[in-house]
């Protein structure tokens, strides 16, 4: 089958890439248009994706692919005076950063059209967390998103039908053809969606470690540098933070329990660990979009909004704008409240005990997430239902001196007992001599070009 815009057939394009050739922009456009329109068969799409996975793409090809995917559907257009920013995370355990970050940025005067995803495998999804709140609607039209940004300043929504339709097709086939980990396909998927949001600035939280997609710093750095280059070449000021993902972020893992912890952060409380990520990512964004003179001053502005209640007010307004009743939104945002009065509590809460005296040297995020996944907190494939009430509250902190018999974790579960999972849960906690404990910041590096290309 031939495209009307090119004399090159789809099989010829596949053969060209399979044999290590470089696709020009017109050929990439032909492929993406064929994907979007349905003119190219799924088996041909799979063949092209495998050819890209095997042979890779040059920077020029990756940029062309990203640009064509971005333009495959509708793109957001905003008033010129708006500072529109967003954050993207490569996924982790206990990553509820978006929930306090979006309203904190809105309280600073930015607009945040945060298009988020659902959890898959051991990583949690922002949309799943927010759906723990009764009435919260993640599906909003383009017109509704614009109105919420006008009225509130931030929203957290799912991908709209008209935004980057090519990515929706390609992502499903990447999953089915084991080509998810192709660097050019990762870059074009992430950056095309963010480019379509019409952003002034984008910060990427690229995670590395035992509970991350990339286990070591060097491989995460390569991804971060490629994403930053693609974003800036597309006209979006893009920077990336490299952050460690070994232990869970904050003190909770799950859906409902993470919403509770995010609300605590918005009330100026909660773990320093979560606050560190929120203020750093927000600070970099405020600096990148020109809203603060330095990253440090931007970080201070975010911290102030968390402390003085302004970010909390934005979150309450966002909840109501996205379908939560005024009574529920107000009650959740009260300084002292019972979160489980409105969000579902699991049938059982079981506390596990420390087995030896010593210091907390490690809390294995991956091991913990995998058990919670088996208990119903996650999904094995897209579209599966999850149990929002399943989760864990971590009752100790890294480096803390603990005693045998002390409770270290509270598991929220709906199964009769935890016996089949007891051993795996206890292995997640490592106790040892305090002199072996080393304090390490989650923030490893920040990558940003000296002169971002805004062409």
């Amino acid at each position: 089958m031939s495209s009307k815009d090119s004399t090159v057939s789809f099989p010829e394009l596949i053969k060209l890439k399979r044999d290590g050739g470089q696709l020009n922009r017109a050929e990439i456009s032909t492929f993406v248009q064929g994907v979007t329109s349905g003119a190219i068969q799924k088996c041909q799409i799979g063949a092209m994706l495998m050819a890209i996975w095997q042979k890779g793409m040059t920077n020029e090809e990756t940029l062309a692919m990203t640009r064509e995917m971005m333009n495959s559907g509708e793109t957001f257009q905003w008033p010129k005076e708006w500072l529109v920013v967003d954050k993207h995370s490569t996924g982790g355990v206990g990553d509820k950063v978006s929930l306090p970050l979006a309203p904190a940025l809105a309280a600073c005067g930015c607009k945040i059209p945060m298009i988020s995803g659902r959890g898959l495998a051991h990583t949690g999804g922002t949309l799943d967390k927010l759906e723990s709140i009764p009435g919260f609607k993640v599906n909003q039209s383009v017109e509704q998103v614009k109105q919420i940004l006008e009225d509130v300043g931030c929203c957290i929504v799912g991908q709209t039908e008209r935004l980057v339709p090519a990515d929706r097709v390609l992502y499903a086939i990447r999953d089915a053809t084991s080509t998810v980990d192709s660097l050019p396909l990762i870059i074009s998927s992430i950056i095309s969606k963010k480019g379509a949001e019409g952003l002034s600035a984008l910060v990427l939280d690229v995670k590395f470690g035992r509970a991350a997609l990339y286990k070591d710093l060097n491989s995460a750095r390569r991804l971060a540098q490629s994403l930053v280059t693609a974003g800036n070449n597309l006209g979006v000021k893009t920077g990336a933070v490299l952050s460690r993902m070994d232990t869970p972020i904050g003190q909770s893992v799950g859906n409902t329990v993470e919403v509770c912890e995010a609300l605590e952060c918005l009330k100026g409380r909660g773990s320093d660990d979560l606050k560190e990520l929120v203020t750093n990512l927000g600070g970099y964004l405020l600096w990148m979009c020109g809203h603060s003179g330095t990253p440090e001053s931007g970080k201070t502005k975010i911290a102030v909004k968390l402390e003085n209640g302004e970010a909390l007010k934005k979150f309450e307004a966002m909840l109501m704008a996205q379908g939560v009743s005024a009574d529920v939104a107000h009650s959740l945002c009260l300084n002292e409240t019972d979160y489980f009065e409105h969000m579902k509590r699991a049938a059982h809460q079981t506390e596990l005990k420390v087995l030896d005296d010593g210091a907390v040297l490690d809390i294995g995020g991956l091991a913990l997430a995998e058990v919670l996944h088996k208990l119903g907190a996650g999904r094995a494939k897209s579209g599966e239902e999850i149990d929002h009430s399943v989760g864990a509250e971590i009752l100790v902190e890294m480096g803390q001196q603990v005693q045998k018999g002390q409770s270290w974790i509270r598991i929220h579960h709906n199964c009769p007992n935890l016996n089949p999972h007891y051993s795996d849960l206890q292995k997640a906690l490592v106790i040892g001599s305090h002199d072996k404990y080393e304090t390490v910041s989650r923030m490893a590096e920040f990558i940003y070009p000296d002169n971002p290309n805004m062409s």
Side-chain angles (χ1 to χ4, degrees), residues 407-452:
S407 294
W408 75 272
I409 194 168
R410 181 182 299 121
I411 304 295
H412 296 242
H413 58 104
N414 291 308
C415 60
N417 65 71
L418 289 177
N419 289 344
H421 309 288
Y422 178 82
S423 176
D424 289 335
L425 286 168
Q426 289 291 34
K427 285 176 187 174
L429 179 70
V430 178
I431 301 295
S433 173
H434 196 277
D435 59 14
K436 294 182 179 177
Y437 175 69
E438 185 179 350
T439 303
V440 180
S441 169
R442 279 205 185 268
M443 314 294 291
E445 292 179 21
F446 178 63
I447 296 172
Y448 189 66
D450 292 334
N451 296 295

Side-chain angles (χ1 to χ4, degrees), residues 275-388:
K275 201 172 296 182
E276 178 192 18
L277 273 173
V278 173
T279 55
N280 274 282
L281 291 166
Y284 283 124
L285 267 176
L286 291 180
W287 171 66
M288 285 158 56
C289 73
H291 204 60
S292 65
T294 64
E296 276 302 312
S297 64
K299 180 179 173 181
T300 300
K301 285 183 180 181
I302 296 292
V304 167
K305 299 303 181 185
L306 294 174
E307 291 292 332
N308 68 13
E310 289 184 36
L312 182 65
K313 288 178 183 175
K314 288 289 185 183
F315 188 75
E316 182 177 348
M318 184 186 80
L319 293 184
M320 291 188 287
Q322 293 192 233
V324 179
S325 72
D327 286 347
V328 170
H330 182 67
S331 178
L332 288 173
C333 294
L334 288 172
N335 197 46
E336 299 297 332
T337 191
D338 177 8
Y339 295 125
F340 294 104
E341 181 183 339
H342 303 292
M343 296 186 289
K344 183 184 174 185
R345 187 197 296 269
H348 308 284
Q349 287 79 44
T350 301
E351 294 186 4
L352 273 62
K353 309 296 183 181
V354 176
L355 301 180
D356 296 292
D357 293 348
V360 178
L361 301 183
D362 190 30
I363 300 170
L366 181 59
L368 180 55
E370 286 176 339
V371 170
L372 294 176
H373 181 271
K374 292 173 186 173
L375 292 173
R379 55 176 64 83
K381 60 182 180 180
S382 180
E384 283 185 344
E385 291 294 315
I386 61 167
D387 188 339
H388 293 90

Side-chain angles (χ1 to χ4, degrees), residues 185-200:
L185 297 177
I186 291 171
I187 293 164
S188 57
S189 177
I190 292 172
I191 300 299
S192 64
K193 284 180 287 201
K194 296 305 175 183
E197 288 181 26
L199 302 177
S200 311

